Amino acid sequence: MRTFGLAGRLIVSGILIALLVSALAGWTLRTALHGAMRSAFDQRLEERADLILARFDSAADKIGVNYSEPRRGDEFGRIFSGWYWRLDGGGTVQHSRSLWDADIHQVKADESGRLDGVGPEQAPVFGIVRSVELGSRPYRLEVYGPAAPVLQELSAFDRMLLWIVSSLVALLVLATVVQARVALRPLARLRTAMNAVEQGEADMIGRGYGPDLDPLARELDGLLKRNAQIVERARGHAADLAHALKKPLALLRSEADVTRAVPAELVQRESASMARLIDRHLARAGSGAGDRRRIDVHQHAEALVGLMRQLHRARALDWQLAVPEGLSWRGEATDFEEMLGNLLDNAGKWASHQVRVSAVSTPAGIELAVEDDGPGLSAEQRARATQRWQRFDESVPGTGLGLGITADLAATYEGEMALLESSLGGLRVVLNLPQ
């Protein structure tokens, strides 16, 4: 079966089942009919046994019994007619005139008292046996009839049954083939759509494959979408890193052009800055990019807030954490830390005295908010803030990448980021992340 495709397996399985069911049904029907016909013949023998017993004259004071032949004779009076009887008991054996000087040979008896034998002229016979009492003596009565007509009828029925079963199997096989072809047509369309995506002729698989395959197509389209986002994100990483490295490299080149020598302090500072940028982008490149696993939101948020207290300890900010314990989100921990870390770092740079972090569970996932009491952004600035390299105050160190990176990561998980006014007076950044 390993060499067959799905259609081949369905067809072969259907054929095997059709053969098995047809064979069982045919054998059951044959057995039932054979038994019914034999029972009907046995009933005829029973009736003749009653007539034979009625023709015996017997009395208690007699030594034996006598059989009275009918005046006109019957099938038991014609020699080798196929109808025979034998009476065995009292030390003697009597038989019908039809047996003449022959006997019944190769007699086989079953538990029900049926007899199969061979009569004169090698003709097959069916019979029954009775234990009777005549003249107060026990006797054994055997009555036989010709088996050839019954065997011929059974043989004719077997041939007809074989033809019917063969035709039924052929129809079942044909129906199985047609059913397999029709049932697997949506799967064939799905395979065609997947080949089109693989060949670059289409971007998505789409729908229309039936209620059984549409969920699979939806999952595959989601996977393709996430892969496309990962590729786009990787391109963004490369562009971000290249742009971030331009400034320190340009500064070093400019200093070298002016002084013909670069101060060691400048080299160390700018090299350290470039190393941090490279490490940061390598960490982002190695993140899950849509890989889903359940993480503890409270635990990660608490650790990041603790880190931000150390990074911005010189500003003595009040960091408030309002994330309930037990709240979880299904995603990659590295991505979550990147998103929340960017927002916290950004809030720590602009806050005057206070930064507040909160999170709640929503029907779709979680809602994460970071807000500060800094100067905030105007509506026009908030509309442009997620674009890379957007900086509205050069006096504060930064690259202008944080909010853009966070928005891209949220989109990777089919989430979104919103920039709003905070009740604290500054900026409120809200992340809606689906599970």
Side-chain angles (χ1 to χ4, degrees), residues 218-219 222-223 226 288-298 300 326-337 339 360-368 409-415 432-435:
R218 186 163 51 250
E219 290 293 330
L223 180 61
R226 285 194 293 272
D291 188 16
R292 305 295 177 95
R293 65 192 68 179
R294 193 161 296 281
I295 64 174
D296 189 327
V297 175
H298 176 83
H300 285 78
L327 182 64
S328 63
W329 175 67
R330 195 165 63 92
E332 172 58 39
T334 307
D335 289 342
F336 181 82
E337 293 172 356
M339 289 185 289
V360 294
S361 177
T362 65
I366 64 169
E367 180 181 282
L368 186 67
L409 281 173
T412 301
Y413 292 93
E414 299 182 356
N432 284 297
L433 300 175
Q435 295 285 9

mmCIF file of all heavy atoms in Angstrom, residues 218-219 222-223 226 288-298 300 326-337 339 360-368 409-415 432-435:
data_model
loop_
_atom_site.group_PDB
_atom_site.id
_atom_site.type_symbol
_atom_site.label_atom_id
_atom_site.label_comp_id
_atom_site.label_asym_id
_atom_site.label_seq_id
_atom_site.Cartn_x
_atom_site.Cartn_y
_atom_site.Cartn_z
ATOM 1 N N ARG A 218 -6.715 27.319 4.896
ATOM 2 C CA ARG A 218 -6.567 28.536 5.698
ATOM 3 C C ARG A 218 -5.283 28.498 6.517
ATOM 4 O O ARG A 218 -4.564 29.509 6.628
ATOM 5 C CB ARG A 218 -7.791 28.676 6.605
ATOM 6 C CG ARG A 218 -7.837 29.970 7.381
ATOM 7 C CD ARG A 218 -9.221 30.259 7.920
ATOM 8 N NE ARG A 218 -9.769 29.127 8.645
ATOM 9 C CZ ARG A 218 -10.789 28.380 8.210
ATOM 10 N NH1 ARG A 218 -11.359 28.650 7.048
ATOM 11 N NH2 ARG A 218 -11.246 27.367 8.925
ATOM 12 N N GLU A 219 -4.969 27.337 7.100
ATOM 13 C CA GLU A 219 -3.724 27.214 7.867
ATOM 14 C C GLU A 219 -2.506 27.373 6.957
ATOM 15 O O GLU A 219 -1.514 28.015 7.339
ATOM 16 C CB GLU A 219 -3.685 25.854 8.563
ATOM 17 C CG GLU A 219 -4.675 25.697 9.698
ATOM 18 C CD GLU A 219 -4.349 26.607 10.864
ATOM 19 O OE1 GLU A 219 -3.164 26.902 11.062
ATOM 20 O OE2 GLU A 219 -5.291 27.045 11.558
ATOM 21 N N GLY A 222 -2.086 30.946 6.151
ATOM 22 C CA GLY A 222 -1.498 31.635 7.301
ATOM 23 C C GLY A 222 -0.009 31.391 7.392
ATOM 24 O O GLY A 222 0.767 32.309 7.712
ATOM 25 N N LEU A 223 0.405 30.155 7.118
ATOM 26 C CA LEU A 223 1.830 29.841 7.139
ATOM 27 C C LEU A 223 2.576 30.591 6.049
ATOM 28 O O LEU A 223 3.673 31.131 6.278
ATOM 29 C CB LEU A 223 2.016 28.332 6.975
ATOM 30 C CG LEU A 223 3.453 27.816 6.969
ATOM 31 C CD1 LEU A 223 4.145 28.128 8.292
ATOM 32 C CD2 LEU A 223 3.476 26.309 6.702
ATOM 33 N N ARG A 226 2.878 34.190 7.133
ATOM 34 C CA ARG A 226 3.929 34.386 8.145
ATOM 35 C C ARG A 226 5.316 34.266 7.530
ATOM 36 O O ARG A 226 6.236 35.013 7.896
ATOM 37 C CB ARG A 226 3.745 33.368 9.274
ATOM 38 C CG ARG A 226 2.609 33.687 10.203
ATOM 39 C CD ARG A 226 2.684 32.871 11.475
ATOM 40 N NE ARG A 226 2.455 31.461 11.235
ATOM 41 C CZ ARG A 226 1.262 30.887 11.223
ATOM 42 N NH1 ARG A 226 0.178 31.634 11.430
ATOM 43 N NH2 ARG A 226 1.124 29.589 11.022
ATOM 44 N N GLY A 288 11.679 34.349 17.017
ATOM 45 C CA GLY A 288 10.746 33.346 16.505
ATOM 46 C C GLY A 288 10.048 33.755 15.236
ATOM 47 O O GLY A 288 9.666 32.914 14.446
ATOM 48 N N ALA A 289 9.820 35.058 15.046
ATOM 49 C CA ALA A 289 9.160 35.542 13.843
ATOM 50 C C ALA A 289 7.866 34.803 13.577
ATOM 51 O O ALA A 289 7.591 34.359 12.489
ATOM 52 C CB ALA A 289 10.089 35.443 12.643
ATOM 53 N N GLY A 290 7.038 34.672 14.596
ATOM 54 C CA GLY A 290 5.752 34.022 14.410
ATOM 55 C C GLY A 290 5.688 32.641 15.007
ATOM 56 O O GLY A 290 4.646 32.022 14.997
ATOM 57 N N ASP A 291 6.767 32.127 15.526
ATOM 58 C CA ASP A 291 6.730 30.831 16.191
ATOM 59 C C ASP A 291 5.924 30.963 17.473
ATOM 60 O O ASP A 291 6.153 31.858 18.265
ATOM 61 C CB ASP A 291 8.162 30.376 16.501
ATOM 62 C CG ASP A 291 8.200 28.960 17.001
ATOM 63 O OD1 ASP A 291 7.193 28.249 16.818
ATOM 64 O OD2 ASP A 291 9.227 28.571 17.574
ATOM 65 N N ARG A 292 4.956 30.053 17.683
ATOM 66 C CA ARG A 292 4.009 30.219 18.772
ATOM 67 C C ARG A 292 4.302 29.271 19.927
ATOM 68 O O ARG A 292 4.359 28.064 19.729
ATOM 69 C CB ARG A 292 2.574 29.980 18.275
ATOM 70 C CG ARG A 292 2.173 30.844 17.073
ATOM 71 C CD ARG A 292 2.140 32.308 17.418
ATOM 72 N NE ARG A 292 1.821 33.143 16.272
ATOM 73 C CZ ARG A 292 0.600 33.571 15.979
ATOM 74 N NH1 ARG A 292 -0.406 33.221 16.737
ATOM 75 N NH2 ARG A 292 0.393 34.344 14.950
ATOM 76 N N ARG A 293 4.497 29.853 21.123
ATOM 77 C CA ARG A 293 4.584 29.082 22.360
ATOM 78 C C ARG A 293 4.078 29.969 23.495
ATOM 79 O O ARG A 293 4.160 31.188 23.417
ATOM 80 C CB ARG A 293 6.019 28.621 22.611
ATOM 81 C CG ARG A 293 6.997 29.735 22.859
ATOM 82 C CD ARG A 293 8.425 29.231 22.805
ATOM 83 N NE ARG A 293 8.770 28.824 21.451
ATOM 84 C CZ ARG A 293 9.973 28.358 21.118
ATOM 85 N NH1 ARG A 293 10.901 28.211 22.038
ATOM 86 N NH2 ARG A 293 10.236 28.014 19.875
ATOM 87 N N ARG A 294 3.502 29.370 24.529
ATOM 88 C CA ARG A 294 2.875 30.149 25.593
ATOM 89 C C ARG A 294 3.941 30.706 26.550
ATOM 90 O O ARG A 294 4.797 29.964 27.018
ATOM 91 C CB ARG A 294 1.870 29.277 26.345
ATOM 92 C CG ARG A 294 0.959 30.068 27.258
ATOM 93 C CD ARG A 294 -0.280 29.265 27.593
ATOM 94 N NE ARG A 294 -1.078 28.992 26.412
ATOM 95 C CZ ARG A 294 -1.910 29.858 25.842
ATOM 96 N NH1 ARG A 294 -2.026 31.089 26.360
ATOM 97 N NH2 ARG A 294 -2.604 29.531 24.788
ATOM 98 N N ILE A 295 3.873 32.008 26.804
ATOM 99 C CA ILE A 295 4.827 32.663 27.700
ATOM 100 C C ILE A 295 4.063 33.404 28.795
ATOM 101 O O ILE A 295 2.903 33.799 28.615
ATOM 102 C CB ILE A 295 5.748 33.642 26.936
ATOM 103 C CG1 ILE A 295 4.937 34.777 26.329
ATOM 104 C CG2 ILE A 295 6.539 32.914 25.869
ATOM 105 C CD1 ILE A 295 5.790 35.853 25.691
ATOM 106 N N ASP A 296 4.729 33.631 29.915
ATOM 107 C CA ASP A 296 4.157 34.326 31.069
ATOM 108 C C ASP A 296 4.390 35.824 30.892
ATOM 109 O O ASP A 296 5.530 36.309 30.975
ATOM 110 C CB ASP A 296 4.796 33.814 32.354
ATOM 111 C CG ASP A 296 4.100 34.338 33.603
ATOM 112 O OD1 ASP A 296 3.594 35.474 33.575
ATOM 113 O OD2 ASP A 296 4.057 33.603 34.604
ATOM 114 N N VAL A 297 3.310 36.582 30.648
ATOM 115 C CA VAL A 297 3.428 38.020 30.378
ATOM 116 C C VAL A 297 3.919 38.763 31.616
ATOM 117 O O VAL A 297 4.795 39.638 31.522
ATOM 118 C CB VAL A 297 2.063 38.569 29.905
ATOM 119 C CG1 VAL A 297 2.135 40.087 29.735
ATOM 120 C CG2 VAL A 297 1.669 37.923 28.589
ATOM 121 N N HIS A 298 3.379 38.431 32.769
ATOM 122 C CA HIS A 298 3.780 39.118 33.999
ATOM 123 C C HIS A 298 5.270 38.915 34.278
ATOM 124 O O HIS A 298 5.984 39.883 34.618
ATOM 125 C CB HIS A 298 2.950 38.593 35.179
ATOM 126 C CG HIS A 298 3.356 39.183 36.495
ATOM 127 N ND1 HIS A 298 2.909 40.407 36.947
ATOM 128 C CD2 HIS A 298 4.210 38.716 37.467
ATOM 129 C CE1 HIS A 298 3.439 40.662 38.119
ATOM 130 N NE2 HIS A 298 4.230 39.660 38.462
ATOM 131 N N HIS A 300 7.782 38.203 32.203
ATOM 132 C CA HIS A 300 8.658 38.914 31.258
ATOM 133 C C HIS A 300 8.558 40.422 31.440
ATOM 134 O O HIS A 300 9.577 41.138 31.351
ATOM 135 C CB HIS A 300 8.307 38.527 29.822
ATOM 136 C CG HIS A 300 8.787 37.168 29.429
ATOM 137 N ND1 HIS A 300 8.157 36.008 29.812
ATOM 138 C CD2 HIS A 300 9.863 36.786 28.691
ATOM 139 C CE1 HIS A 300 8.800 34.963 29.326
ATOM 140 N NE2 HIS A 300 9.841 35.407 28.653
ATOM 141 N N GLY A 326 -0.404 35.309 36.031
ATOM 142 C CA GLY A 326 -1.140 34.257 35.330
ATOM 143 C C GLY A 326 -1.543 34.626 33.918
ATOM 144 O O GLY A 326 -2.015 33.776 33.159
ATOM 145 N N LEU A 327 -1.365 35.894 33.548
ATOM 146 C CA LEU A 327 -1.685 36.302 32.183
ATOM 147 C C LEU A 327 -0.624 35.743 31.232
ATOM 148 O O LEU A 327 0.575 35.892 31.475
ATOM 149 C CB LEU A 327 -1.737 37.826 32.085
ATOM 150 C CG LEU A 327 -2.103 38.414 30.710
ATOM 151 C CD1 LEU A 327 -3.519 38.022 30.328
ATOM 152 C CD2 LEU A 327 -1.940 39.935 30.714
ATOM 153 N N SER A 328 -1.062 35.121 30.174
ATOM 154 C CA SER A 328 -0.114 34.500 29.238
ATOM 155 C C SER A 328 -0.448 34.910 27.813
ATOM 156 O O SER A 328 -1.557 35.375 27.516
ATOM 157 C CB SER A 328 -0.146 32.972 29.369
ATOM 158 O OG SER A 328 -1.419 32.463 29.019
ATOM 159 N N TRP A 329 0.531 34.703 26.936
ATOM 160 C CA TRP A 329 0.366 35.006 25.515
ATOM 161 C C TRP A 329 1.104 33.951 24.718
ATOM 162 O O TRP A 329 2.171 33.485 25.129
ATOM 163 C CB TRP A 329 0.909 36.401 25.214
ATOM 164 C CG TRP A 329 0.880 36.759 23.749
ATOM 165 C CD1 TRP A 329 -0.222 36.964 22.978
ATOM 166 C CD2 TRP A 329 2.009 36.952 22.886
ATOM 167 N NE1 TRP A 329 0.141 37.269 21.687
ATOM 168 C CE2 TRP A 329 1.505 37.270 21.606
ATOM 169 C CE3 TRP A 329 3.390 36.885 23.080
ATOM 170 C CZ2 TRP A 329 2.338 37.508 20.520
ATOM 171 C CZ3 TRP A 329 4.218 37.136 22.006
ATOM 172 C CH2 TRP A 329 3.697 37.448 20.740
ATOM 173 N N ARG A 330 0.534 33.583 23.590
ATOM 174 C CA ARG A 330 1.146 32.548 22.770
ATOM 175 C C ARG A 330 1.956 33.205 21.649
ATOM 176 O O ARG A 330 1.414 33.751 20.697
ATOM 177 C CB ARG A 330 0.067 31.628 22.173
ATOM 178 C CG ARG A 330 0.625 30.334 21.604
ATOM 179 C CD ARG A 330 -0.490 29.327 21.368
ATOM 180 N NE ARG A 330 -1.435 29.810 20.367
ATOM 181 C CZ ARG A 330 -1.339 29.555 19.076
ATOM 182 N NH1 ARG A 330 -0.347 28.819 18.617
ATOM 183 N NH2 ARG A 330 -2.236 30.022 18.231
ATOM 184 N N GLY A 331 3.268 33.172 21.815
ATOM 185 C CA GLY A 331 4.168 33.762 20.834
ATOM 186 C C GLY A 331 5.605 33.409 21.179
ATOM 187 O O GLY A 331 5.876 32.537 21.996
ATOM 188 N N GLU A 332 6.553 34.117 20.576
ATOM 189 C CA GLU A 332 7.973 33.894 20.835
ATOM 190 C C GLU A 332 8.457 34.890 21.884
ATOM 191 O O GLU A 332 8.215 36.097 21.790
ATOM 192 C CB GLU A 332 8.773 34.058 19.537
ATOM 193 C CG GLU A 332 10.274 34.032 19.718
ATOM 194 C CD GLU A 332 10.758 32.741 20.360
ATOM 195 O OE1 GLU A 332 10.223 31.667 20.020
ATOM 196 O OE2 GLU A 332 11.659 32.814 21.206
ATOM 197 N N ALA A 333 9.128 34.370 22.916
ATOM 198 C CA ALA A 333 9.566 35.211 24.027
ATOM 199 C C ALA A 333 10.486 36.330 23.546
ATOM 200 O O ALA A 333 10.410 37.475 24.022
ATOM 201 C CB ALA A 333 10.260 34.356 25.085
ATOM 202 N N THR A 334 11.376 36.042 22.606
ATOM 203 C CA THR A 334 12.310 37.057 22.097
ATOM 204 C C THR A 334 11.565 38.209 21.442
ATOM 205 O O THR A 334 11.918 39.388 21.617
ATOM 206 C CB THR A 334 13.285 36.426 21.096
ATOM 207 O OG1 THR A 334 13.913 35.292 21.681
ATOM 208 C CG2 THR A 334 14.340 37.424 20.656
ATOM 209 N N ASP A 335 10.515 37.875 20.674
ATOM 210 C CA ASP A 335 9.727 38.918 20.029
ATOM 211 C C ASP A 335 8.990 39.762 21.065
ATOM 212 O O ASP A 335 8.902 40.991 20.943
ATOM 213 C CB ASP A 335 8.723 38.283 19.056
ATOM 214 C CG ASP A 335 9.412 37.712 17.834
ATOM 215 O OD1 ASP A 335 10.560 38.088 17.572
ATOM 216 O OD2 ASP A 335 8.791 36.893 17.139
ATOM 217 N N PHE A 336 8.434 39.108 22.076
ATOM 218 C CA PHE A 336 7.714 39.849 23.123
ATOM 219 C C PHE A 336 8.660 40.808 23.846
ATOM 220 O O PHE A 336 8.325 41.977 24.094
ATOM 221 C CB PHE A 336 7.089 38.866 24.116
ATOM 222 C CG PHE A 336 6.306 39.527 25.200
ATOM 223 C CD1 PHE A 336 4.993 39.939 24.984
ATOM 224 C CD2 PHE A 336 6.876 39.764 26.452
ATOM 225 C CE1 PHE A 336 4.272 40.571 25.993
ATOM 226 C CE2 PHE A 336 6.159 40.388 27.462
ATOM 227 C CZ PHE A 336 4.855 40.791 27.221
ATOM 228 N N GLU A 337 9.837 40.333 24.180
ATOM 229 C CA GLU A 337 10.806 41.185 24.862
ATOM 230 C C GLU A 337 11.272 42.320 23.970
ATOM 231 O O GLU A 337 11.511 43.436 24.454
ATOM 232 C CB GLU A 337 11.991 40.341 25.328
ATOM 233 C CG GLU A 337 11.629 39.342 26.428
ATOM 234 C CD GLU A 337 12.769 38.393 26.728
ATOM 235 O OE1 GLU A 337 13.797 38.455 26.031
ATOM 236 O OE2 GLU A 337 12.627 37.577 27.677
ATOM 237 N N MET A 339 9.457 43.792 21.562
ATOM 238 C CA MET A 339 8.374 44.776 21.462
ATOM 239 C C MET A 339 8.253 45.585 22.754
ATOM 240 O O MET A 339 8.276 46.830 22.733
ATOM 241 C CB MET A 339 7.051 44.067 21.153
ATOM 242 C CG MET A 339 6.962 43.513 19.748
ATOM 243 S SD MET A 339 5.331 42.804 19.363
ATOM 244 C CE MET A 339 5.357 41.306 20.365
ATOM 245 N N VAL A 360 -4.051 43.585 29.971
ATOM 246 C CA VAL A 360 -5.324 42.919 30.284
ATOM 247 C C VAL A 360 -5.582 41.860 29.227
ATOM 248 O O VAL A 360 -5.044 41.914 28.111
ATOM 249 C CB VAL A 360 -6.500 43.920 30.328
ATOM 250 C CG1 VAL A 360 -6.342 44.894 31.477
ATOM 251 C CG2 VAL A 360 -6.633 44.650 28.990
ATOM 252 N N SER A 361 -6.397 40.894 29.610
ATOM 253 C CA SER A 361 -6.803 39.854 28.669
ATOM 254 C C SER A 361 -8.006 40.339 27.869
ATOM 255 O O SER A 361 -8.903 40.996 28.404
ATOM 256 C CB SER A 361 -7.147 38.569 29.426
ATOM 257 O OG SER A 361 -7.614 37.581 28.539
ATOM 258 N N THR A 362 -8.029 40.022 26.570
ATOM 259 C CA THR A 362 -9.142 40.368 25.696
ATOM 260 C C THR A 362 -9.673 39.094 25.051
ATOM 261 O O THR A 362 -9.006 38.051 25.077
ATOM 262 C CB THR A 362 -8.686 41.347 24.598
ATOM 263 O OG1 THR A 362 -7.739 40.690 23.745
ATOM 264 C CG2 THR A 362 -8.052 42.586 25.214
ATOM 265 N N PRO A 363 -10.882 39.145 24.466
ATOM 266 C CA PRO A 363 -11.405 37.940 23.799
ATOM 267 C C PRO A 363 -10.487 37.406 22.716
ATOM 268 O O PRO A 363 -10.450 36.194 22.478
ATOM 269 C CB PRO A 363 -12.740 38.425 23.218
ATOM 270 C CG PRO A 363 -13.149 39.559 24.102
ATOM 271 C CD PRO A 363 -11.873 40.234 24.498
ATOM 272 N N ALA A 364 -9.734 38.302 22.071
ATOM 273 C CA ALA A 364 -8.859 37.857 20.989
ATOM 274 C C ALA A 364 -7.457 37.500 21.462
ATOM 275 O O ALA A 364 -6.761 36.723 20.820
ATOM 276 C CB ALA A 364 -8.771 38.927 19.904
ATOM 277 N N GLY A 365 -7.006 38.073 22.581
ATOM 278 C CA GLY A 365 -5.638 37.838 23.049
ATOM 279 C C GLY A 365 -5.340 38.669 24.271
ATOM 280 O O GLY A 365 -5.979 38.538 25.306
ATOM 281 N N ILE A 366 -4.351 39.573 24.138
ATOM 282 C CA ILE A 366 -4.018 40.471 25.240
ATOM 283 C C ILE A 366 -3.869 41.888 24.699
ATOM 284 O O ILE A 366 -3.588 42.105 23.509
ATOM 285 C CB ILE A 366 -2.715 40.051 25.957
ATOM 286 C CG1 ILE A 366 -1.507 40.163 25.000
ATOM 287 C CG2 ILE A 366 -2.825 38.664 26.526
ATOM 288 C CD1 ILE A 366 -0.167 40.014 25.699
ATOM 289 N N GLU A 367 -4.057 42.855 25.607
ATOM 290 C CA GLU A 367 -3.820 44.256 25.283
ATOM 291 C C GLU A 367 -2.753 44.768 26.239
ATOM 292 O O GLU A 367 -2.933 44.749 27.454
ATOM 293 C CB GLU A 367 -5.105 45.078 25.426
ATOM 294 C CG GLU A 367 -4.909 46.558 25.096
ATOM 295 C CD GLU A 367 -6.182 47.365 25.272
ATOM 296 O OE1 GLU A 367 -7.057 47.300 24.390
ATOM 297 O OE2 GLU A 367 -6.295 48.032 26.320
ATOM 298 N N LEU A 368 -1.642 45.225 25.676
ATOM 299 C CA LEU A 368 -0.493 45.686 26.445
ATOM 300 C C LEU A 368 -0.329 47.185 26.205
ATOM 301 O O LEU A 368 -0.326 47.638 25.048
ATOM 302 C CB LEU A 368 0.759 44.924 26.003
ATOM 303 C CG LEU A 368 2.052 45.154 26.765
ATOM 304 C CD1 LEU A 368 1.929 44.606 28.186
ATOM 305 C CD2 LEU A 368 3.199 44.449 26.049
ATOM 306 N N LEU A 409 6.847 43.787 14.336
ATOM 307 C CA LEU A 409 6.731 42.543 15.096
ATOM 308 C C LEU A 409 5.271 42.238 15.423
ATOM 309 O O LEU A 409 4.826 41.081 15.337
ATOM 310 C CB LEU A 409 7.543 42.638 16.383
ATOM 311 C CG LEU A 409 9.056 42.432 16.251
ATOM 312 C CD1 LEU A 409 9.736 42.735 17.577
ATOM 313 C CD2 LEU A 409 9.366 41.014 15.809
ATOM 314 N N ALA A 410 4.516 43.252 15.804
ATOM 315 C CA ALA A 410 3.096 43.032 16.099
ATOM 316 C C ALA A 410 2.359 42.546 14.857
ATOM 317 O O ALA A 410 1.507 41.652 14.936
ATOM 318 C CB ALA A 410 2.467 44.313 16.633
ATOM 319 N N ALA A 411 2.680 43.106 13.704
ATOM 320 C CA ALA A 411 2.038 42.670 12.461
ATOM 321 C C ALA A 411 2.383 41.226 12.126
ATOM 322 O O ALA A 411 1.588 40.521 11.509
ATOM 323 C CB ALA A 411 2.440 43.595 11.313
ATOM 324 N N THR A 412 3.603 40.796 12.549
ATOM 325 C CA THR A 412 3.987 39.411 12.308
ATOM 326 C C THR A 412 3.009 38.451 12.974
ATOM 327 O O THR A 412 2.723 37.369 12.454
ATOM 328 C CB THR A 412 5.408 39.153 12.846
ATOM 329 O OG1 THR A 412 6.317 40.044 12.197
ATOM 330 C CG2 THR A 412 5.838 37.719 12.583
ATOM 331 N N TYR A 413 2.472 38.857 14.120
ATOM 332 C CA TYR A 413 1.506 38.026 14.843
ATOM 333 C C TYR A 413 0.064 38.440 14.548
ATOM 334 O O TYR A 413 -0.833 38.109 15.312
ATOM 335 C CB TYR A 413 1.778 38.123 16.345
ATOM 336 C CG TYR A 413 3.074 37.482 16.752
ATOM 337 C CD1 TYR A 413 4.246 38.229 16.828
ATOM 338 C CD2 TYR A 413 3.144 36.128 17.035
ATOM 339 C CE1 TYR A 413 5.447 37.637 17.199
ATOM 340 C CE2 TYR A 413 4.331 35.529 17.407
ATOM 341 C CZ TYR A 413 5.482 36.293 17.482
ATOM 342 O OH TYR A 413 6.668 35.700 17.839
ATOM 343 N N GLU A 414 -0.129 39.190 13.448
ATOM 344 C CA GLU A 414 -1.453 39.678 13.057
ATOM 345 C C GLU A 414 -2.046 40.591 14.132
ATOM 346 O O GLU A 414 -3.260 40.669 14.304
ATOM 347 C CB GLU A 414 -2.407 38.515 12.753
ATOM 348 C CG GLU A 414 -1.924 37.639 11.615
ATOM 349 C CD GLU A 414 -2.900 36.521 11.284
ATOM 350 O OE1 GLU A 414 -3.924 36.395 11.997
ATOM 351 O OE2 GLU A 414 -2.653 35.788 10.326
ATOM 352 N N GLY A 415 -1.153 41.264 14.853
ATOM 353 C CA GLY A 415 -1.590 42.239 15.839
ATOM 354 C C GLY A 415 -1.414 43.647 15.304
ATOM 355 O O GLY A 415 -1.096 43.864 14.130
ATOM 356 N N ASN A 432 -2.147 45.394 20.673
ATOM 357 C CA ASN A 432 -3.180 44.354 20.684
ATOM 358 C C ASN A 432 -2.605 43.121 19.989
ATOM 359 O O ASN A 432 -2.374 43.119 18.778
ATOM 360 C CB ASN A 432 -4.445 44.824 19.970
ATOM 361 C CG ASN A 432 -5.248 45.787 20.816
ATOM 362 O OD1 ASN A 432 -5.728 45.425 21.888
ATOM 363 N ND2 ASN A 432 -5.381 47.032 20.357
ATOM 364 N N LEU A 433 -2.365 42.099 20.783
ATOM 365 C CA LEU A 433 -1.716 40.895 20.275
ATOM 366 C C LEU A 433 -2.675 39.699 20.389
ATOM 367 O O LEU A 433 -3.053 39.309 21.501
ATOM 368 C CB LEU A 433 -0.435 40.586 21.092
ATOM 369 C CG LEU A 433 0.632 41.683 21.082
ATOM 370 C CD1 LEU A 433 1.773 41.312 22.026
ATOM 371 C CD2 LEU A 433 1.151 41.926 19.668
ATOM 372 N N PRO A 434 -3.099 39.128 19.257
ATOM 373 C CA PRO A 434 -3.973 37.956 19.319
ATOM 374 C C PRO A 434 -3.219 36.714 19.771
ATOM 375 O O PRO A 434 -1.991 36.633 19.680
ATOM 376 C CB PRO A 434 -4.461 37.792 17.881
ATOM 377 C CG PRO A 434 -3.378 38.424 17.054
ATOM 378 C CD PRO A 434 -2.801 39.537 17.883
ATOM 379 N N GLN A 435 -3.970 35.756 20.327
ATOM 380 C CA GLN A 435 -3.347 34.496 20.770
ATOM 381 C C GLN A 435 -3.044 33.619 19.563
ATOM 382 O O GLN A 435 -3.763 33.640 18.591
ATOM 383 C CB GLN A 435 -4.287 33.739 21.718
ATOM 384 C CG GLN A 435 -4.525 34.492 23.016
ATOM 385 C CD GLN A 435 -3.314 34.418 23.964
ATOM 386 O OE1 GLN A 435 -2.250 33.953 23.608
ATOM 387 N NE2 GLN A 435 -3.493 34.909 25.162
#
